[in-house]
Amino acid sequence: MESSFSEITAQLRDKLAEIDDIQAAAAVLGWDMTTYMPPGGSAARGRQLATLARLAHERATDPALGKTLDAAESRFEAEIGTTIAAAADNDDAALLRLVRREYERRIRIPSKFAAEAADHSTRSYGVWATARGENDFAAVQPYLEKTLDLSRRYADFFDTYVHPADVFIDDSDFGLSVELIRPLFAELGAGLKPLVQRIAAQPKPRHEFLHRHYPEAQQIAFGDKIARRLGYDFTRGRQDKTHHPFMTKFSHGDVRITTRVNEQDIGDNTFSVMHEVGHALYEQGVAEKYESTPLNGGTSNGVHESQSRLWENLVGRSRGFWQHSFGDLQAAFPDQLRDVSAEEFYRAINLVEPSLIRTDADEVTYNLHVIIRFELECRLLEGDLAIEDLPAAWHDAYEDALGVRAPSDVDGVLQDVHWYAGFIGGSFQGYALGNIISCQVYETALEENPNITTHVQRGELMPLLHWLQNNIYRHGSKYTTQQLLERVTGSGITLAPYFRYLHEKFGDLYELDNLTGT
Amino acid sequence: MESSFSEITAQLRDKLAEIDDIQAAAAVLGWDMTTYMPPGGSAARGRQLATLARLAHERATDPALGKTLDAAESRFEAEIGTTIAAAADNDDAALLRLVRREYERRIRIPSKFAAEAADHSTRSYGVWATARGENDFAAVQPYLEKTLDLSRRYADFFDTYVHPADVFIDDSDFGLSVELIRPLFAELGAGLKPLVQRIAAQPKPRHEFLHRHYPEAQQIAFGDKIARRLGYDFTRGRQDKTHHPFMTKFSHGDVRITTRVNEQDIGDNTFSVMHEVGHALYEQGVAEKYESTPLNGGTSNGVHESQSRLWENLVGRSRGFWQHSFGDLQAAFPDQLRDVSAEEFYRAINLVEPSLIRTDADEVTYNLHVIIRFELECRLLEGDLAIEDLPAAWHDAYEDALGVRAPSDVDGVLQDVHWYAGFIGGSFQGYALGNIISCQVYETALEENPNITTHVQRGELMPLLHWLQNNIYRHGSKYTTQQLLERVTGSGITLAPYFRYLHEKFGDLYELDNLTGT
């Protein structure tokens, strides 16, 4: 007798749960590696993580999984009477779509190639870590050339792409493509450059007080307070210190964040906490029913980054938020902030200044850093740019976009880890998409619930959180980026809300007139 | 062409390394669960650990492992020209012996039975955790009855035992048996009871200062200092806080300990640190060549406990150790210890007093607690004692051995977790064997290197550590308990050094004459 859909999906869910358990275990080992592991643990930890990755990969590419998936798909269509593609709002269909998508991607990559790429990536990372300290691009050049070659070969396993970068974009921001992003970024750059130039001509706000001495313990305590205010649930998470802050999820009930503290910069920890809390609120808000399946996580890099940026920037760098919270900050650091008003603090944390380092960039210039990288990735993959010419192309692009030129490759092409620890392609667009999407989402939230602004001014973030949970977080990966945006905002990715936001906020801050259009 | 021994052992080692990686991952998840996991993580963590346990068990009982083992054994004997059993000092033979032993044990247990037992154990633990708080033995009685039934059924999978407890003793202290332990414990009890009575008739040393207020941060800092002095390598380990202290190993380079702090008892953390450091020194000292195999760990519960007790008691509660270290303790707690001398401190931490709780017991009475439990386990398995009569039997045994009677079962049969979270059998003897073995080993160390006593008085613990590393730690699980003791001390388990130690130390402390014989 043929099995029913519910019997087959139960089998499928068992297989998915096993993969999820192994991946969660690997995530715990990864978290421990960066938080508490003693140095002696490194070698064995690498072996342990490799074993867990292999076990998960074997299961995720197991032909038996494919057969169960086939059976589930055919029973779904027979019993429900509609195609899986058409059943947009059905949870089972969403699960089958996602599992099919991931399965098809994974089985296309021969394990020999995957091993070669993983091995190369480990070596390349090691060489970069040294070369960066010595400003030695020549040392990494042959590794980057091999990375580019591996990236092209990876893309070639997928015969349907229009642009090789599409393969990588699909991995991180499914459904988007170079064809969609390139014109979007062209328009974005065209709108940002004159804005940056006009702001650069204006006087800078005072901001020296951000760099007074802020002791670590009080910073951590204040960060915890802010995390709680934003709605981060510490009964289902915790915060630890790492060299690079991140968010990691082991289960619905265990979503952790990390931070780092710079005692000479109150902004470093404060905004890092809000950023990671933004990621964590998304993951803590995914409906529990998706636990142990691939639906149990944010849907794409772009949407994920939209939430970290919404909380970090649209809330965390707003005048309204600090109208309420500056008193708390001042209470935590009375000596450091005695001579500073809430308005001065607000102006200081929104200083706009063209700079060399992406991760330190302000809200206005940040996306220009991303556009530069996206264009370079595309040109490298197209064969229009050689690795040996990359450092010069980098410097020229910065000169053109931001009017700055790094004195060396350390603050140029050697600054980001991405190309040295993975493929070239699809690495950066999510950061800019996140900024754009955050404004689309926030504008809609304010339209539907205009009181949110007043709530934020009172330090009440729960109305905003509940709106986001209800409209975005609870859906996990049920919808793609574009589907989700259509549902929430009524349109796909669009720049208008982002420019409206920048023009209103920075027009006010820097007293600029006649900021219109994108 | 037939594979060579080295080819086959390479295959075998790959299989063992995979199991080791999975078990290490589970250990990391277990450590995280008790140290840092937020409460929301519990449910998923249980699932993740169950999946890892299943993956490890599948591999450890895989017939393919058995075939590789068969082939390795036959190639060993063909190439080396001796039987595996006879090649006592050969590392490969030791590995094959151990893997064979563990494989044969595991494949005897049907997975249906293992699942039933694991499920029962989880439920039983939960019921106990509540019942203990409510002094409700009746609530756990049916669970204990089922545990006893499961324990008998477990033993029956092994057709060769003399006493059913032997099966469990083999699990924790391979090679020992009821036949060996029962007369040993009879002699032990007969020697301890009069000693306890004679000490009880003497005046007690002052010890109220142990219970002044000792703030947590300073206790942790002092514990770290002591751990370093004992030779614990923090580059290959770390210390965290848990409800119950333990030691756990993820690899040769990552051996962690935990502790707990009672601000009203300086002894709690101090001696717990030394105890767990003792376990950790053993594990940190195992030769790195055994990494990723079952040889990479202490050889038995008894020998492991001998090392925790050696460092905690023979070193940590010695007059010599505190001659040097009391100054540091006084410097850390000047107000609390201003009116206390090193000699007074030494006497206070060696207070002997019959009590109800095993884990709080002093060096002299401790083994009586263990003997009581061992005898009860044997009688339960024999059918000589029914679970319903266990609470009364417990109280009677305490009255007889220690002259104390618990006012309720909370401080009686409900006090230890062991029977409520596992089988009945083999749970306790290792604690007493550890005390006995620690004295055999330490006496030999002092014979071979009489300067150790002077070194300890100067706070120099490295000569002792090096002797232990060389004679015991580096061997990991290469030798069984009895083989190791024969090698190191020239005899099997024997009580004489233990009684010599007690008589000398406590005869001096309590001014007792005519302490002779066992």
Side-chain angles (χ1 to χ4, degrees):
Chain A
M1 207 186 87
E2 208 179 355
S3 301
S4 69
F5 178 70
S6 74
E7 286 165 345
I8 295 172
T9 44
Q11 286 170 31
L12 183 67
R13 283 170 186 278
D14 282 348
K15 290 178 191 293
L16 297 172
E18 186 182 48
I19 297 168
D20 188 73
D21 285 339
I22 298 168
Q23 289 172 334
V28 176
L29 267 63
W31 170 87
D32 176 70
M33 188 165 69
T34 59
T35 50
Y36 294 113
M37 190 181 75
S42 300
R45 185 54 53 86
R47 293 196 302 269
Q48 291 152 4
L49 283 169
T51 294
L52 294 179
R54 184 172 49 72
L55 292 174
H57 183 76
E58 281 168 9
R59 280 156 186 73
T61 55
D62 185 352
L65 176 66
K67 287 216 176 77
T68 309
L69 187 55
D70 292 342
E73 287 168 342
S74 87
R75 284 312 304 162
F76 179 91
E77 306 206 336
E79 286 186 25
I80 314 294
T82 169
T83 65
I84 289 166
D89 291 332
N90 180 298
D91 279 345
D92 288 322
L95 179 64
L96 294 177
R97 282 194 298 269
L98 183 55
V99 175
R100 169 62 68 188
R101 195 170 103 196
E102 295 187 345
Y103 180 72
E104 293 299 327
R105 289 190 73 77
R106 288 187 180 124
I107 61 170
R108 273 186 169 68
I109 310 302
S111 42
K112 192 156 168 284
F113 176 87
E116 184 187 351
D119 185 58
H120 172 69
S121 176
T122 305
R123 286 165 200 273
S124 169
Y125 175 81
V127 172
W128 168 74
T130 308
R132 191 189 185 194
E134 296 166 358
N135 186 31
D136 185 3
F137 181 77
V140 297
Q141 188 182 318
Y143 288 87
L144 266 189
E145 278 163 358
K146 166 121 191 192
T147 302
L148 182 57
D149 177 55
L150 286 166
S151 304
R152 289 215 187 90
R153 283 165 60 199
Y154 182 89
D156 282 340
F157 291 123
F158 302 86
D159 38 17
T160 52
Y161 66 79
V162 176
H163 190 288
D166 291 349
V167 171
F168 301 101
I169 294 170
D170 253 1
D171 265 348
S172 55
D173 294 288
F174 180 79
L176 306 185
S177 62
V178 173
E179 192 178 4
L180 182 149
I181 296 169
R182 226 172 199 165
L184 190 82
F185 280 7
E187 192 184 343
L188 179 62
L192 288 175
K193 284 189 217 174
L195 182 61
V196 170
Q197 282 164 9
R198 288 192 58 185
I199 293 174
Q202 298 295 98
K204 302 264 168 289
R206 71 176 280 225
H207 58 279
E208 87 295 343
F209 52 80
L210 297 179
H211 301 285
R212 290 171 180 168
H213 183 73
Y214 293 87
E216 174 166 319
Q218 287 95 306
Q219 284 206 50
I220 293 283
F222 181 72
D224 273 13
K225 187 171 193 167
I226 292 293
R228 273 174 227 281
R229 179 162 299 156
L230 267 46
Y232 178 68
D233 179 356
F234 276 94
T235 70
R236 296 193 292 130
R238 53 177 287 115
Q239 177 168 272
D240 298 274
K241 274 171 54 188
T242 50
H243 190 65
H244 295 288
F246 62 87
M247 182 278 301
T248 183
K249 181 178 201 171
F250 308 145
S251 66
H252 178 78
D254 197 349
V255 177
R256 304 189 190 180
I257 56 175
T258 73
T259 190
R260 77 171 154 219
V261 174
N262 176 349
E263 294 200 323
Q264 303 308 323
D265 185 351
I266 182 61
D268 214 0
N269 175 62
T270 305
F271 295 104
S272 171
V273 167
M274 295 195 214
H275 185 95
E276 300 309 330
V277 162
H279 285 302
L281 291 175
Y282 193 176
E283 293 295 338
Q284 287 191 330
V286 175
E288 197 169 359
K289 64 182 171 178
Y290 297 143
E291 183 87 331
S292 299
T293 78
L295 293 174
N296 186 29
T299 192
S300 68
N301 278 9
V303 176
H304 234 303
E305 195 71 9
S306 80
Q307 295 313 299
S308 56
R309 298 300 252 174
L310 188 154
W311 290 99
E312 175 195 355
N313 288 339
L314 308 197
V315 173
R317 292 184 206 268
S318 72
R319 182 180 272 132
F321 180 79
W322 290 104
Q323 277 174 9
H324 177 273
S325 291
F326 186 69
D328 291 331
L329 186 66
Q330 232 173 2
F333 301 103
D335 294 338
Q336 296 88 336
L337 295 172
R338 182 165 295 130
D339 61 339
V340 182
S341 70
E343 179 66 19
E344 283 176 311
F345 184 77
Y346 167 65
R347 288 177 177 271
I349 61 174
N350 284 296
L351 174 71
V352 175
E353 198 163 40
S355 65
L356 296 166
I357 307 296
R358 173 181 61 86
T359 54
D360 296 340
D362 58 77
E363 276 187 276
V364 181
T365 58
Y366 188 95
N367 280 351
L368 292 170
H369 294 259
V370 175
I371 293 171
I372 289 167
R373 288 157 176 77
F374 179 79
E375 234 358 272
L376 291 173
E377 281 195 315
C378 288
R379 289 177 57 202
L380 287 167
L381 286 167
E382 289 160 7
D384 180 49
L385 176 67
I387 294 290
E388 63 177 328
D389 300 323
L390 182 59
W394 183 286
H395 292 309
D396 291 346
Y398 265 79
E399 182 92 56
D400 174 62
L402 287 153
V404 293
R405 202 171 184 95
S408 76
D409 293 328
V410 177
D411 292 337
V413 72
L414 291 171
Q415 80 177 254
D416 295 306
V417 67
H418 305 59
W419 295 337
Y420 304 96
F423 292 109
I424 291 174
S427 321
F428 292 99
Q429 78 283 336
Y431 297 117
L433 296 174
N435 289 322
I436 297 164
I437 294 169
S438 72
C439 291
Q440 293 185 254
V441 167
Y442 199 54
E443 192 172 84
T444 305
L446 296 181
E447 278 164 18
E448 294 188 7
N449 189 350
N451 291 330
I452 284 175
T453 311
T454 322
H455 289 305
V456 170
Q457 285 165 0
R458 292 191 200 130
E460 295 162 7
L461 283 310
M462 291 311 97
L464 172 60
L465 178 60
H466 291 149
W467 189 90
L468 292 165
Q469 284 171 337
N470 191 44
N471 284 278
I472 297 178
Y473 302 170
R474 69 186 171 95
H475 297 306
S477 293
K478 181 172 180 175
Y479 302 107
T480 65
T481 304
Q482 295 279 54
Q483 285 170 340
L484 186 70
L485 282 177
E486 288 282 355
R487 270 182 65 96
V488 176
T489 71
S491 85
I493 296 177
T494 172
L495 291 172
Y498 179 61
F499 277 114
R500 277 195 286 272
Y501 165 75
L502 287 186
H503 290 167
E504 186 181 336
K505 176 172 177 178
F506 293 94
D508 165 67
L509 277 165
Y510 285 94
E511 298 176 10
L512 309 174
D513 309 325
N514 301 321
L515 290 170
T516 52
T518 56
Chain B
M1 205 185 83
E2 207 179 354
S3 301
S4 69
F5 178 69
S6 74
E7 287 164 345
I8 294 173
T9 44
Q11 287 170 30
L12 183 67
R13 283 170 186 277
D14 282 348
K15 290 178 191 291
L16 297 173
E18 186 181 49
I19 297 168
D20 188 72
D21 285 339
I22 298 169
Q23 288 172 334
V28 176
L29 267 62
W31 170 87
D32 176 71
M33 188 165 67
T34 58
T35 50
Y36 295 114
M37 189 180 77
S42 299
R45 185 55 52 86
R47 293 196 302 269
Q48 292 151 4
L49 283 169
T51 294
L52 294 178
R54 183 171 50 72
L55 292 174
H57 182 76
E58 281 168 8
R59 281 155 184 74
T61 56
D62 185 353
L65 176 67
K67 286 215 177 76
T68 309
L69 187 56
D70 292 342
E73 287 168 341
S74 87
R75 285 311 304 161
F76 179 91
E77 307 208 335
E79 287 186 27
I80 314 294
T82 168
T83 66
I84 290 166
D89 291 331
N90 181 297
D91 279 345
D92 288 322
L95 179 64
L96 293 178
R97 282 193 299 269
L98 183 55
V99 175
R100 168 62 68 189
R101 195 170 102 196
E102 294 188 344
Y103 180 72
E104 293 299 327
R105 289 189 72 77
R106 287 186 180 126
I107 59 170
R108 273 186 169 69
I109 310 302
S111 43
K112 189 154 169 286
F113 176 86
E116 184 187 351
D119 185 58
H120 171 69
S121 176
T122 306
R123 285 164 202 272
S124 169
Y125 175 81
V127 172
W128 168 74
T130 308
R132 192 189 186 193
E134 296 166 359
N135 185 32
D136 186 3
F137 180 78
V140 299
Q141 188 181 321
Y143 289 87
L144 266 190
E145 278 164 358
K146 166 124 191 191
T147 302
L148 182 57
D149 177 56
L150 286 166
S151 304
R152 289 214 188 90
R153 283 165 59 199
Y154 182 91
D156 281 340
F157 292 122
F158 303 85
D159 40 16
T160 53
Y161 66 78
V162 177
H163 191 287
D166 290 351
V167 171
F168 302 101
I169 294 169
D170 253 2
D171 266 347
S172 55
D173 294 288
F174 180 78
L176 306 186
S177 62
V178 172
E179 194 178 1
L180 182 148
I181 296 168
R182 224 172 201 168
L184 190 82
F185 280 6
E187 193 185 343
L188 179 62
L192 288 175
K193 284 187 216 173
L195 182 59
V196 171
Q197 283 164 12
R198 288 192 58 186
I199 292 175
Q202 297 294 98
K204 303 263 169 289
R206 70 176 279 225
H207 57 279
E208 87 295 344
F209 52 82
L210 297 178
H211 302 284
R212 289 170 181 168
H213 183 74
Y214 293 87
E216 173 166 320
Q218 287 95 304
Q219 284 207 50
I220 293 283
F222 181 72
D224 273 14
K225 186 168 193 169
I226 292 293
R228 274 175 227 281
R229 179 161 300 155
L230 267 46
Y232 178 69
D233 179 358
F234 276 95
T235 70
R236 297 194 290 130
R238 54 176 288 116
Q239 178 168 272
D240 297 276
K241 274 171 53 190
T242 50
H243 190 65
H244 295 288
F246 62 86
M247 181 278 301
T248 182
K249 181 178 200 171
F250 309 145
S251 66
H252 179 77
D254 197 349
V255 177
R256 305 189 189 180
I257 56 175
T258 72
T259 190
R260 75 170 155 218
V261 175
N262 176 350
E263 294 200 323
Q264 303 308 322
D265 186 349
I266 183 61
D268 214 0
N269 175 63
T270 305
F271 295 103
S272 171
V273 166
M274 295 196 215
H275 184 96
E276 300 310 330
V277 161
H279 284 303
L281 292 175
Y282 193 177
E283 294 295 337
Q284 287 192 330
V286 175
E288 197 169 0
K289 63 181 171 179
Y290 296 144
E291 184 88 331
S292 299
T293 78
L295 293 174
N296 184 30
T299 192
S300 68
N301 278 9
V303 177
H304 234 303
E305 195 71 9
S306 80
Q307 295 313 299
S308 54
R309 298 300 252 174
L310 189 154
W311 290 99
E312 175 194 356
N313 288 337
L314 308 197
V315 173
R317 292 184 206 267
S318 72
R319 182 180 273 131
F321 181 80
W322 290 105
Q323 275 174 9
H324 178 273
S325 291
F326 186 69
D328 292 330
L329 185 67
Q330 231 173 2
F333 302 102
D335 294 339
Q336 295 89 335
L337 295 172
R338 181 165 296 130
D339 62 340
V340 182
S341 70
E343 179 65 19
E344 284 176 310
F345 184 76
Y346 167 65
R347 289 178 175 269
I349 61 175
N350 284 295
L351 174 71
V352 175
E353 199 163 40
S355 66
L356 296 166
I357 308 296
R358 174 181 60 85
T359 54
D360 296 341
D362 57 78
E363 276 187 275
V364 182
T365 58
Y366 188 94
N367 280 351
L368 292 171
H369 294 258
V370 175
I371 294 172
I372 289 168
R373 288 157 176 76
F374 179 78
E375 242 346 280
L376 291 172
E377 281 194 316
C378 288
R379 289 177 57 202
L380 288 167
L381 286 167
E382 289 160 8
D384 180 48
L385 176 67
I387 294 290
E388 63 177 327
D389 299 325
L390 182 59
W394 182 287
H395 293 309
D396 291 347
Y398 265 79
E399 183 93 55
D400 175 63
L402 287 152
V404 294
R405 202 171 182 95
S408 76
D409 294 328
V410 176
D411 292 338
V413 72
L414 292 170
Q415 80 178 253
D416 294 305
V417 67
H418 305 58
W419 295 337
Y420 304 97
F423 293 110
I424 291 174
S427 320
F428 292 98
Q429 78 284 335
Y431 297 116
L433 296 174
N435 289 322
I436 297 164
I437 294 168
S438 71
C439 292
Q440 294 185 252
V441 167
Y442 199 55
E443 192 172 84
T444 306
L446 295 181
E447 277 163 20
E448 294 188 7
N449 189 350
N451 291 329
I452 284 176
T453 311
T454 322
H455 289 305
V456 169
Q457 285 165 359
R458 291 193 200 126
E460 295 161 7
L461 283 310
M462 292 310 97
L464 172 60
L465 178 59
H466 292 149
W467 188 91
L468 291 165
Q469 284 170 338
N470 191 45
N471 285 278
I472 298 179
Y473 302 171
R474 69 185 172 95
H475 296 305
S477 293
K478 181 173 181 175
Y479 302 107
T480 65
T481 303
Q482 295 279 55
Q483 285 170 339
L484 186 70
L485 282 177
E486 289 282 353
R487 272 182 63 98
V488 176
T489 71
S491 86
I493 296 177
T494 172
L495 290 172
Y498 179 62
F499 277 114
R500 278 196 286 273
Y501 164 76
L502 287 187
H503 290 168
E504 187 183 334
K505 176 172 177 178
F506 293 93
D508 165 68
L509 276 165
Y510 286 93
E511 299 177 8
L512 310 175
D513 309 324
N514 302 320
L515 290 170
T516 52
T518 54

